[in-house]
Amino acid sequence: MSLLTSASAASRWRGYEYFKEGRVSALEDLGSSRFRALVAGHQSRPYAVTIDLAHLRQSSCTCPHAAGRKVICKHMVAVFFTVFPEEAARFYADVLREEQEWEEAQADRADKLIQYVRRLKKKDAQDRLLEVLEIGPDWLWDRFLRDYVE
Ligand SMILES: [Zn+2]
């Protein structure tokens, strides 16, 4: 397991932002895949972070989320990206690609829905419309009545 895959998706993204914002300082290579740094958070004092890439559970951070718990927090992710900026670049490229794929999938689904509606026979279209008005929010029902019926 890598540090990145051990972090939650939210911690990965916030850690990336902290890295980009330059919140990591005083980085030290302790040897044996261990790194120590300070990370500016919301408190006035920065958090003290140690990441141990060979023994992830030995990683630590003084923030309330991670202190005393074996979790990978956003501050550890920010330190990881500072040590390995090429991993940060890859992470960001992956995020962009996933967003693009999601948008393309949504556009495909919208196209399919439009094609389906255009092919509906009148009776089926009437039934589907009544279904939508029935399960939709009240404002939709009110607006439909006001705009087309009353
Ligand atoms: Zn932390």
Side-chain angles (χ1 to χ4, degrees):
M1 283 266 268
S2 80
L3 184 138
L4 278 189
T5 55
S6 299
S8 69
S11 291
R12 277 196 295 274
W13 178 249
R14 294 293 290 142
Y16 176 79
E17 288 183 324
Y18 275 31
F19 157 73
K20 289 301 278 185
E21 291 164 10
R23 289 170 178 253
V24 178
S25 63
L27 178 66
E28 283 178 86
D29 184 344
L30 303 176
S32 309
S33 299
R34 294 168 69 238
F35 300 88
R36 180 164 61 196
L38 298 175
V39 179
H42 298 295
Q43 313 272 335
S44 53
R45 280 163 50 117
Y47 298 121
V49 181
T50 302
I51 58 173
D52 184 331
L53 301 178
H55 309 93
L56 281 183
R57 292 172 65 83
Q58 300 298 315
S59 301
S60 65
C61 177
T62 54
C63 77
H65 179 62
R69 299 171 66 211
K70 301 293 182 190
V71 297
I72 302 298
C73 68
K74 60 192 173 188
H75 310 104
M76 297 175 193
V77 173
V79 172
F80 177 80
F81 282 148
T82 304
V83 175
F84 303 104
E86 70 281 2
E87 291 285 338
R90 185 184 313 163
F91 168 78
Y92 190 63
D94 285 350
V95 168
L96 289 184
R97 186 176 40 72
E98 284 164 18
E99 276 179 6
Q100 172 114 24
E101 286 169 2
W102 186 84
E103 281 170 20
E104 285 169 8
Q106 290 301 98
D108 277 355
R109 297 181 72 213
D111 284 348
K112 282 183 188 154
L113 183 61
I114 290 166
Q115 286 173 26
Y116 166 78
V117 169
R118 295 265 179 242
R119 284 194 311 261
L120 278 175
K121 303 229 176 351
K122 183 177 176 184
K123 173 74 168 74
D124 292 332
Q126 290 171 337
D127 290 346
R128 293 299 97 77
L129 177 58
L130 287 171
E131 274 174 36
V132 167
L133 289 171
E134 182 90 12
I135 63 174
D138 289 346
W139 65 259
L140 184 62
W141 179 266
D142 289 338
R143 194 163 103 187
F144 197 88
L145 271 172
R146 190 184 62 231
D147 289 357
Y148 301 113
V149 182
E150 294 170 346

